[in-house]
Amino acid sequence: MHTITVGTATCGVSAGADKVVEEFQRLIAEKGMKDVKLAETGCMGMCYKEVLVEVKNGDGAYLYGDVTPEKAQRIFEEHVLQGKHIDEWLVLHDYVEGPEGGFLAKQKRIVLRNCGHIDPMSIDDYLARDGYKAIEQALKTMTPAQVITTMTESGLRGRGGAGFLTGAKWKFASESPGPIKYVVCNADEGDPGAFMDRSVLEGDPHSVIEGMLICGYAIGATAGYVYCRAEYPRAIVRLINAIQQATERGLLGDNIFGTDFSFHIKIKEGAGAFVCGEETALIASIEGHRGTPRIRPPYPAVKGIWGKPTNINNVETFANIPWIIHNGAASFAAMGTDDSKGTKVFAMAGKVNRSGLVEVPMGISINEIIFDVCGGIKGGKKFKGVQMGGPSGGCIPASLGDTRIDYQQINKTGAIMGSGGMIAFDDETCMVELARFFLEFTQKESCGKCTSCRIGTLRMLEILERIVEGKGEEDDIDMLLSLGEQIRSTAQCGLGQTAPNPVLTTINYFRDEYEQHIKHRRCPAHSCSLLVNYIIDEKKCTGCTICAGNCPVGAITGEKKKVHSIDGAKCIKCGKCITGCNFDAIIKD
């Protein structure tokens, strides 16, 4: 019996997984192979190797990467039909051996324990891996207070950004009086470069549902919402299916496992407002109002949805819960540091060789993630730093690469852990432009309710835009620092309070780049087009005339087979000459 499993999360589909599935379906039907099972799964984490296909038989599990429909034919004919695995396309064998073994070597998968191993549309696959055993254990052998104690002893912090202790948060909600309480899963993942929550919902939706059930039992809630942005259609489809399957099996709904505990879940699709990741704005959106934050206290644990006590955790937090109940608080607390227990999932993007989803024990260093797990920087270029915590996070330079992944240690750098987005950059990244990019995002996403965020971030953005255009002024850096601190201390919600972080941290660690832009009208990274001059290397130019033909404004002149030249006054710095040159003769200065 052979099982062919194709990764059909969003990352896989974007790389062509649907066509690979169709090709395997055609081949199986054509050969009449009834002993071959074709299955789909979620994100395996190796997004950089999509499309991923696993072939499993009595000889183990073989994972292939970069699979196309054409490669699928050969995999089917040689591996499935003849039992000969194809070494040149092999990524992993039995999840340990293989050219990409280093990707998993330092990972510890709790949240991602089922992703890539089960069909997310099959509740039976989840049950086969001890699914819903934790809620059964909680209902039959533990009191709500004991569940909360277990969460407290585990040391689990909320993985949505703030890092508040989960056990304490649940305790507050459980102690709030009232017969009606709610549990909310915050799946409004809006950070550029972040895809942790989406991947878990696409790959293992039942773990999130089970985590919500356990929370509901612990705090005395009977209803829950998953607030998921509408831009995650595949996650929503798989979540709807999981809720339906769990309800049909009696694992969700009334009198679960024959007890008097009942719990129902609804999905609320968000319209894509970044500010709705903030708890009170999310609550307003669920209630049908415009998603704007309100002043706290009262906190949601006291007054949440429709004024009722409400507990809100994110996808990753809830996915941890069943594992903790099933394996015990001590097992979770044994991983990590004194301040930060367990593991953390990161969406790795940017200039790393192995981009994708990783789950590592707390306490691992940034350098270990970048070089050991993610295989270093593309093209062998120099590691310059990481943006951590999303657009509201901060930049951590390579000089602090030994910093441990720990809430306290990361906060000391000026960045934040955030929900887990980590974008790596090399020495060709302009830090001023990077700060401008993230501030532009948060400025657009500001709800506009408070003046400091609405106007303050706009003024900061205007200054940054002026600097990258070569129009910076002597006092711009001091003005950015002053505005940033004022916004931090006066903005109403977390979006505004953290929006200046990318600017403040890049000034702190890369002030010289700001000064080069302002004082010398120069971009050291050769990234800001208006601050870059294009010149032709006489030793490399062959006079092929391709660059002259590509130039839209006629700034390049020269005779055929003779060195060409660029008229800087005419050059609009579009870069077409560089991309079209086959001899690397055009360089930025």
Side-chain angles (χ1 to χ4, degrees):
M1 177 70 179
H2 283 77
T3 300
I4 303 171
T5 304
V6 183
T8 57
T10 296
C11 51
V13 172
S14 65
D18 286 347
K19 292 182 179 179
V20 172
V21 170
E22 290 173 3
E23 182 61 22
F24 277 121
Q25 289 173 336
R26 184 189 69 79
L27 292 166
I28 292 170
E30 187 179 89
K31 298 292 184 180
M33 302 288 291
K34 294 183 179 181
D35 61 340
V36 176
K37 177 185 176 182
L38 179 62
E40 296 183 28
T41 191
C43 179
M44 302 179 191
M46 296 180 176
C47 304
Y48 64 100
K49 279 291 184 181
E50 293 287 359
V51 177
L52 288 160
V53 173
E54 180 191 78
V55 178
K56 186 181 291 185
N57 55 20
D59 192 27
Y62 294 84
L63 185 65
Y64 296 102
D66 299 314
V67 178
T68 62
E70 293 72 27
K71 287 184 177 180
Q73 292 180 22
R74 185 179 167 193
I75 290 171
F76 187 82
E77 291 169 1
E78 294 187 22
H79 193 156
V80 177
L81 297 183
Q82 301 177 36
K84 301 176 182 178
H85 55 266
I86 305 169
D87 289 338
E88 61 262 39
W89 299 342
L90 197 62
V91 173
L92 286 174
H93 177 218
D94 287 339
Y95 312 105
V96 178
E97 300 175 354
E100 300 300 321
F103 181 74
L104 295 176
K106 289 194 174 183
Q107 292 195 50
K108 172 63 179 177
R109 296 199 159 197
I110 293 177
V111 174
L112 304 179
R113 60 193 178 276
N114 294 324
C115 292
H117 295 284
I118 66 171
D119 180 349
M121 299 292 280
S122 169
I123 191 172
D124 290 323
D125 277 16
Y126 183 68
L127 292 172
R129 292 175 67 92
D130 294 327
Y132 292 104
K133 290 280 184 68
I135 180 60
E136 182 179 15
Q137 178 183 339
L139 290 175
K140 293 183 177 180
T141 68
M142 304 171 74
T143 65
Q146 287 174 326
V147 172
I148 293 174
T149 298
T150 298
M151 288 301 107
T152 303
E153 292 176 349
S154 73
L156 173 67
R157 290 176 176 267
R159 300 304 197 230
F164 195 79
L165 286 167
T166 303
K169 197 172 191 178
W170 288 18
K171 191 171 188 290
F172 293 148
S174 71
E175 292 175 347
S176 294
I180 300 175
K181 297 180 182 180
Y182 294 97
V183 174
V184 175
C185 175
N186 183 351
D188 190 57
E189 184 176 53
D191 294 4
F195 46 92
M196 302 79 61
D197 291 354
R198 187 201 74 210
S199 296
V200 173
L201 289 176
E202 289 180 351
D204 190 17
H206 286 284
S207 67
V208 179
I209 292 172
E210 187 173 8
M212 292 178 69
L213 281 165
I214 294 168
C215 178
Y217 173 65
I219 71 170
T222 58
Y225 287 89
V226 179
Y227 188 91
C228 184
R229 53 181 43 230
E231 295 94 331
Y232 284 178
R234 187 167 292 261
I236 291 171
V237 166
R238 292 181 175 180
L239 191 57
I240 290 172
N241 176 73
I243 291 172
Q244 181 180 341
Q245 288 181 334
T247 302
E248 290 172 351
R249 297 290 183 95
L251 300 169
L252 189 62
D254 296 326
N255 304 116
I256 299 170
F257 285 109
T259 68
D260 58 0
F261 174 63
S262 299
F263 195 81
H264 299 262
I265 294 177
K266 293 182 179 179
I267 298 172
K268 169 67 176 179
E269 294 186 35
F274 180 64
V275 73
C276 284
E278 195 276 337
E279 289 186 343
T280 59
L282 181 152
I283 288 170
S285 181
I286 289 177
E287 293 175 339
H289 306 298
R290 183 173 177 233
T292 55
R294 62 167 169 79
I295 295 174
R296 299 180 298 178
Y299 291 93
V302 176
K303 188 178 181 180
I305 299 175
W306 293 295
K308 307 301 181 184
T310 302
N311 182 86
I312 304 175
N313 290 117
N314 82 324
V315 170
E316 184 180 342
T317 308
F318 280 123
N320 272 297
I321 306 303
W323 191 95
I324 294 172
I325 294 295
H326 191 67
N327 292 277
S331 296
F332 190 84
M335 293 177 282
T337 67
D338 291 340
D339 174 69
S340 306
K341 304 296 185 182
T343 63
K344 182 74 190 77
V345 178
F346 289 98
M348 299 302 302
K351 300 299 181 70
V352 288
N353 285 311
R354 298 170 180 157
S355 58
L357 211 59
V358 306
E359 184 174 2
V360 291
M362 289 284 198
I364 194 173
S365 71
I366 293 173
N367 279 339
E368 286 178 280
I369 295 177
I370 296 296
F371 294 101
D372 296 343
V373 179
C374 294
I377 303 300
K378 288 181 178 179
K381 293 180 180 177
K382 186 178 179 181
F383 174 45
K384 193 171 184 178
V386 295
Q387 172 72 15
M388 193 168 177
S392 297
C395 168
I396 303 175
S399 60
L400 297 180
D402 289 331
T403 300
R404 299 289 170 182
I405 301 298
D406 173 294
Y407 284 96
Q408 284 188 344
Q409 297 304 314
I410 295 300
N411 288 347
K412 286 179 182 178
T413 69
I416 59 175
M417 186 83 73
S419 58
M422 190 184 293
I423 302 175
F425 38 87
D426 60 22
D427 53 3
E428 293 184 355
T429 303
C430 173
M431 305 313 297
V432 185
E433 169 56 26
L434 185 80
R436 189 210 62 79
F437 170 81
F438 283 116
L439 191 66
E440 180 184 40
F441 177 86
T442 49
Q443 203 284 320
K444 286 180 178 178
E445 293 293 339
S446 170
C447 74
K449 188 174 182 179
C450 62
T451 305
S452 57
C453 180
R454 182 181 71 249
I455 303 299
T457 55
L458 180 59
R459 295 288 89 87
M460 290 184 74
L461 180 61
E462 289 170 347
I463 294 171
L464 289 170
E465 288 176 338
R466 194 169 67 238
I467 292 174
V468 298
E469 290 172 358
K471 301 173 183 177
E473 300 173 0
E474 286 290 331
D475 63 348
D476 278 348
I477 296 177
D478 290 337
M479 182 60 71
L480 286 170
L481 291 172
S482 176
L483 282 169
E485 292 300 337
Q486 289 180 53
I487 296 167
R488 264 182 167 181
S489 60
T490 59
Q492 180 176 308
C493 81
L495 186 152
Q497 292 162 10
T498 57
N501 282 352
V503 181
L504 298 178
T505 53
T506 50
I507 291 176
N508 183 31
Y509 297 118
F510 299 94
R511 190 185 183 104
D512 61 314
E513 288 198 29
Y514 281 83
E515 292 174 345
Q516 287 283 328
H517 280 71
I518 295 169
K519 295 178 180 179
H520 304 291
R521 305 290 189 252
R522 178 178 177 273
C523 175
H526 298 149
S527 176
C528 299
S529 60
L530 294 178
L531 301 182
V532 172
N533 292 318
Y534 291 79
I535 60 176
I536 293 179
D537 186 338
E538 296 181 359
K539 295 180 180 180
K540 293 184 178 180
C541 180
T542 63
C544 69
T545 74
I546 291 177
C547 61
N550 288 340
C551 182
V553 294
I556 303 178
T557 57
E559 297 180 23
K560 193 170 185 179
K561 295 186 179 180
K562 291 186 178 181
V563 176
H564 284 43
S565 62
I566 300 175
D567 185 341
K570 289 184 179 180
C571 178
I572 60 173
K573 299 164 184 177
C574 64
K576 289 185 177 180
C577 55
I578 291 181
T579 56
C581 181
N582 296 320
F583 305 98
D584 296 325
I586 303 174
I587 56 177
K588 295 179 181 180
D589 180 42

